[in-house]
Amino acid sequence: MSRRATVAMRCVFAALLVTCICNAQAQDVSVQWKHDPGMVALAATYQSLYESDWTAGIDQRIGVQSNGAGIAIVDDPLNPQRKVIRATIDRSQDYSGVANGVPRAELLFPAPVRFAQQHDYLIRWSTFLPADFEFDNQQLTIMTQVHQGEWVGGPTIALAIQGSRYAISMHGGENHTDVSAGKWLCCADADRGHWVNWSLHYVPDDSAQHALTELYKDGVSIFANRDAANAYPDVQNAYLKIGLYKPDWMSKASDVSRSTVLFGPVRVSVR
């Protein structure tokens, strides 16, 4: 990506903190998963595109964007028989050799994990904040994103954390620098030391006519929007990334010098 595009990307995320909440138009929906078994039942109506529980390590087709040991396979702290992804970023490191020269420790999922418009997708993953996780009140950290490919602008879907709050944001349509919808989500400080199970029900559409974005946390709907574009014009191959991405860490004040988050199994399905 060019220097101009990189600057534009950073400006978008700086604006996210203001526009994400002010422009949010989330709405409640009738469907609500209250626990994992219900989520599994719904997932049974989808066809699996890709899944990994990290037992065999990181798929060689997955793109790794990190510095040194920023991405590693480790034991699950609550169940040593399971393997999980550990993503770590450290402000003291040099990220000039990483994508865009921006602090990140991310996995870029390969085909067939590509999101075509007006298809119905179910994305499931989990995160674990260590017991000693330090919250940054001054800057956000993106933990999961659906990326729009060649378009300059924010990720189509982004789950981030700032301070003790999560945030979800959407970009789409022609105005790719604008947040089309978003919401602050409570409460990350209560999640330290245990796994959080996320599910994203995603029907991308750049016109918003058929768009659907629903985020579930531990089986409960916490964000839903049917009224905003959640894809970029003509993009039929958006892709999934998990890990840590902190776009302004090197240029702005921060409360932390190091961040680590664990990621569990990832499953992507379509119907």
Side-chain angles (χ1 to χ4, degrees):
M1 183 179 290
S2 67
R3 177 178 177 82
R4 181 180 178 184
T6 300
V7 172
M9 176 73 79
R10 292 179 179 177
C11 291
V12 167
F13 279 102
L16 172 64
L17 299 182
V18 177
T19 58
C20 178
I21 308 308
C22 295
N23 293 344
Q25 298 294 328
Q27 62 185 41
D28 291 332
V29 292
S30 58
V31 176
Q32 188 176 71
W33 298 330
K34 295 183 178 179
H35 46 70
D36 281 343
M39 201 173 302
V40 172
L42 178 67
T45 66
Y46 288 74
Q47 178 182 355
S48 177
L49 280 179
Y50 188 93
E51 59 182 82
S52 178
D53 62 4
W54 314 118
T55 301
I58 298 174
D59 184 342
Q60 292 184 352
R61 298 173 298 167
I62 289 179
V64 178
Q65 298 179 336
S66 72
N67 207 8
I71 292 290
I73 297 286
V74 299
D75 292 339
D76 182 339
L78 302 186
N79 181 0
Q81 295 182 345
R82 294 199 332 167
K83 297 297 182 182
V84 298
I85 294 291
R86 183 187 66 204
T88 299
I89 51 176
D90 191 316
R91 204 177 189 191
S92 68
Q93 293 189 3
D94 178 9
Y95 287 90
S96 59
V98 183
N100 296 352
V102 178
R104 67 175 79 222
E106 296 183 298
L107 296 180
L108 191 163
F109 283 80
V113 185
R114 293 295 183 266
F115 304 112
Q117 295 193 37
Q118 299 185 25
H119 287 66
D120 186 335
Y121 297 96
L122 181 63
I123 307 166
R124 293 183 292 162
W125 74 105
S126 53
T127 58
F128 183 97
L129 302 181
D132 60 354
F133 183 87
E134 296 183 48
F135 295 103
D136 189 347
N137 290 294
Q138 301 191 65
Q139 291 194 41
L140 64 80
T141 303
I142 296 177
M143 300 192 300
T144 305
Q145 56 180 302
V146 174
H147 203 274
Q148 74 287 344
E150 297 301 321
W151 276 78
V152 175
T156 312
I157 307 291
L159 176 67
I161 187 170
Q162 182 177 1
S164 61
R165 296 185 296 179
Y166 300 105
I168 182 172
S169 65
M170 290 168 40
H171 289 76
E174 294 288 348
N175 296 321
H176 55 276
T177 60
D178 295 338
V179 176
S180 59
K183 185 180 180 180
W184 288 110
L185 307 168
C186 182
C187 300
D189 52 344
D191 291 337
R192 285 184 291 198
H194 67 83
W195 285 100
V196 174
N197 298 308
W198 303 94
S199 294
L200 179 66
H201 185 193
Y202 180 47
V203 181
D205 184 7
D206 58 25
S207 71
Q209 184 176 358
H210 303 288
L212 173 63
T213 307
E214 298 176 301
L215 181 67
Y216 295 82
K217 182 186 179 194
D218 288 330
V220 177
S221 175
I222 57 175
F223 173 81
N225 189 284
R226 292 191 176 100
D227 302 323
N230 60 359
Y232 284 79
D234 302 320
V235 171
Q236 301 291 345
N237 61 346
Y239 53 87
L240 176 68
K241 300 179 79 174
I242 67 167
L244 303 183
Y245 173 53
K246 206 169 179 72
D248 294 321
W249 209 13
M250 297 308 195
S251 59
K252 297 182 179 180
S254 172
D255 296 326
V256 303
S257 59
R258 182 181 173 91
S259 289
T260 295
V261 175
L262 305 182
F263 293 82
V266 175
R267 297 179 176 89
V268 182
S269 306
V270 66
R271 68 174 178 180

